[in-house]
Amino acid sequence: MWYHRLSHLQSRLQDLLKGGVIYPALPQPNFKSLLPLAVHWHHTVSKSLTCAWQQHEDHFELKYANTVMRFDYVWLRDHCRSASCYNSKTHQRSLDTASVDLCIKPKNIRLDETTLFFTWPDGHVTKYDLNWLVKNSYEGQKQKVIQPRILWNAEIYQQAQVPSVDCQSFLETNEGLKKFLQNFLLYGIAFVENVPPTQEHTEKLAERISLIRETIYGRMWYFTSDFSRGDTAYTKLALDRHTDTTYFQEPCGIQVFHCLKHEGTGGRTLLVDGFYAAEQVLQKAPEEFELLSKVPLKHEYIEDVGECHNHMIGVGPVLNIYPWNKELYLIRYNNYDRAVINTVPYDVVHRWYTAHRTLTIELRRPENEFWVKLKPGRVLFIDNWRVLHGRECFTGYRQLCGCYLTRDDVLNTARLLGLEA
């Protein structure tokens, strides 16, 4: 196999030489040096899946389930699940990682059916199931999405006819709660109907899935357009699409809205799937998507109204992605609270503005805007790391209550119900 590859490489190099891509004056490659010192692939067939592995000087290579994986030997020793290295009751590591020789190599490797056994120099044996290695390898994780999502614009969401969940079912049955969370995880928004229009019942609803995150706005917030806080939200003015608390080091994960009363006109809520817009940028201008995921920005909230005195600063890029699989997990977009851009040199600034404009155009496309009228009894949950919200201006008296939820606790509840989160 190696010789076939080398023959192909030699032929390709000769073609390139003839075509002038590589200048003939360059020395001919030493093909012998490309040969590995020792090629010992071990092959076996297990449960209809072919497995092949090879022990290299500094790593272990495994081919299984259509995946080629490479494992550092220290990693293999560190992740041992034997009783002396891992507490299966607490699911915590017992092994002192700092005690592992950084030059460690196994003395012996053998495969029995679907289990690999590594014997280390001190005689300790580590065993791994092949499927566990596929699932937990870097190569396996690169192919995996952490949280499955359905990206949407207004038409996609409306055609999906995502059902709301009744308050009683939400509060009293795991089936209703699971249905709600499944919708929330897939779309980033979800509704609960027939909720008594009080702050107390809204609080009870929120506590069903998470701890309430207390912030500078309190635990449960209740507001009208009296400008009691130094924020545009406490007015009757229209609000452009944005995510909340970008000025926190970790923006709040979930936002809960319940309109308790509105005696007037206007005030519809705007919802935009930020991940859908970001995906459009990725497809049309990938270099701009990358820039938005790398340039750190400061967001700032300064308040000096009445007895409220706050100065909050949060730092992070507009788009936040996992580095191993490039999955987007957080959008931090708020033009109201973005601070002075002083974290990047001048030659990057203009390119950032161009990329930001591209994203803004996508976010502002009318077809991406989903408008909904909040009313008493209908509670809206928003994934603040994904879905942007805004509102149109309104008249009359309007009361809203709500809160922020801790993202970790919402995802914890979902996992305990068997959902992928």
Side-chain angles (χ1 to χ4, degrees):
M1 178 177 69
W2 287 96
Y3 286 102
H4 288 307
R5 291 172 59 188
L6 291 172
S7 176
H8 172 73
L9 178 60
Q10 186 174 24
S11 175
R12 177 66 182 140
L13 286 172
Q14 289 172 347
D15 290 341
L16 290 173
L17 288 173
K18 292 176 183 177
V21 179
I22 299 179
Y23 295 102
L26 291 175
Q28 292 291 324
N30 181 2
F31 291 103
K32 290 183 179 179
S33 66
L34 296 177
L35 284 169
L37 294 177
V39 180
H40 299 296
W41 281 99
H42 303 260
H43 296 267
T44 188
V45 177
S46 177
K47 292 186 179 180
S48 302
L49 288 176
T50 300
C51 174
W53 58 269
Q54 182 182 358
Q55 182 175 359
H56 295 274
E57 182 65 24
D58 60 348
H59 71 279
F60 176 75
E61 186 172 359
L62 174 66
K63 297 179 181 179
Y64 184 70
N66 298 316
T67 305
V68 179
M69 299 157 277
R70 295 172 179 84
F71 299 94
D72 180 83
Y73 289 128
V74 178
W75 187 98
L76 289 167
R77 181 63 188 89
D78 180 48
H79 288 81
C80 179
R81 274 2 190 198
S82 67
S84 62
C85 298
Y86 187 79
N87 189 325
S88 59
K89 291 184 178 180
T90 65
H91 303 281
Q92 292 177 302
R93 180 181 285 102
S94 303
L95 175 68
D96 177 16
T97 303
S99 69
V100 178
D101 183 357
L102 293 178
C103 298
I104 196 170
K105 286 185 288 188
K107 272 198 321 182
N108 181 56
I109 303 173
R110 69 180 178 88
L111 177 67
D112 182 8
E113 290 295 324
T114 60
T115 304
L116 272 166
F117 294 85
F118 296 85
T119 303
W120 303 104
D122 62 357
H124 184 83
V125 176
T126 296
K127 63 179 182 178
Y128 288 112
D129 179 80
L130 292 176
N131 290 317
W132 189 94
L133 288 174
V134 172
K135 178 182 177 182
N136 291 284
S137 66
Y138 171 73
E139 293 80 5
Q141 286 294 311
K142 279 181 67 175
Q143 303 171 31
K144 183 183 178 183
V145 174
I146 299 297
Q147 184 179 320
R149 297 180 174 92
I150 296 175
L151 306 186
W152 53 269
N153 58 17
E155 182 181 11
I156 293 172
Y157 185 80
Q158 289 168 334
Q159 288 184 349
Q161 297 183 328
V162 184
S164 299
V165 175
D166 181 75
C167 177
Q168 185 174 356
S169 176
F170 178 91
L171 290 174
E172 298 179 4
T173 71
N174 282 342
E175 181 184 354
L177 181 61
K178 184 175 182 178
K179 178 182 175 183
F180 167 87
L181 285 169
Q182 180 69 78
N183 293 337
F184 180 81
L185 292 173
L186 288 176
Y187 294 96
I189 57 174
F191 296 89
V192 179
E193 303 282 0
N194 303 316
V195 182
T198 68
Q199 181 173 317
E200 292 73 26
H201 284 91
T202 308
E203 181 177 1
K204 183 179 180 181
L205 205 70
E207 290 176 328
R208 171 73 165 129
I209 60 172
S210 170
L211 295 174
I212 293 175
R213 178 173 176 178
E214 188 161 359
T215 68
I216 57 174
Y217 302 106
R219 189 169 181 274
M220 291 291 297
W221 38 259
Y222 171 90
F223 69 86
T224 62
S225 54
D226 60 358
F227 202 68
S228 60
R229 301 296 299 261
D231 193 293
T232 313
Y234 290 76
T235 70
K236 296 181 180 181
L237 300 175
L239 289 174
D240 193 19
R241 63 225 70 202
H242 64 280
T243 58
D244 271 16
T245 59
T246 53
Y247 41 79
F248 286 5
Q249 287 289 45
E250 181 184 293
C252 292
I254 287 86
Q255 186 163 23
V256 181
F257 279 120
H258 191 183
C259 180
L260 304 179
K261 181 187 293 186
H262 184 199
E263 299 169 346
T265 61
R268 288 183 306 161
T269 295
L270 168 64
L271 300 169
V272 178
D273 186 355
F275 286 12
Y276 178 90
E279 179 65 22
Q280 303 308 304
V281 176
L282 178 61
Q283 298 300 323
K284 299 173 183 178
E287 70 288 348
E288 294 181 1
F289 180 97
E290 183 178 12
L291 189 66
L292 291 172
S293 71
K294 289 185 175 180
V295 173
L297 298 174
K298 293 179 183 177
H299 289 77
E300 189 172 33
Y301 178 73
I302 301 174
E303 181 181 31
D304 191 11
V305 176
E307 297 181 357
C308 301
H309 308 283
N310 294 291
H311 189 175
M312 312 289 290
I313 296 177
V315 182
V318 174
L319 303 178
N320 296 256
I321 62 175
Y322 295 123
W324 61 89
N325 66 355
K326 308 304 180 185
E327 179 182 349
L328 178 64
Y329 68 88
L330 163 64
I331 180 169
R332 190 190 293 249
Y333 184 100
N334 191 317
N335 207 51
Y336 297 104
D337 297 324
R338 181 166 45 78
V340 175
I341 300 177
N342 54 17
T343 53
V344 289
Y346 82 95
D347 57 329
V348 177
V349 169
H350 194 80
R351 290 194 294 120
W352 182 87
Y353 275 117
T354 300
H356 182 268
R357 181 69 53 85
T358 301
L359 176 60
T360 300
I361 289 172
E362 295 298 331
L363 290 169
R364 290 181 177 175
R365 290 191 186 280
E367 60 267 31
N368 293 339
E369 298 178 344
F370 177 55
W371 291 90
V372 60
K373 179 71 172 179
L374 297 182
K375 60 182 181 180
R378 191 183 196 197
V379 178
L380 168 63
F381 289 72
I382 302 174
D383 184 344
N384 188 55
W385 283 22
R386 169 183 173 181
V387 175
L388 287 70
H389 67 279
R391 71 156 186 248
E392 63 181 358
C393 62
F394 64 92
T395 65
Y397 183 71
R398 190 171 183 252
Q399 288 180 343
L400 264 78
C401 79
C403 60
Y404 295 115
L405 305 181
T406 57
R407 187 177 190 82
D408 287 336
D409 289 294
V410 173
L411 298 181
N412 175 53
T413 301
R415 294 185 192 109
L416 291 175
L417 290 171
L419 298 173
E420 191 172 354

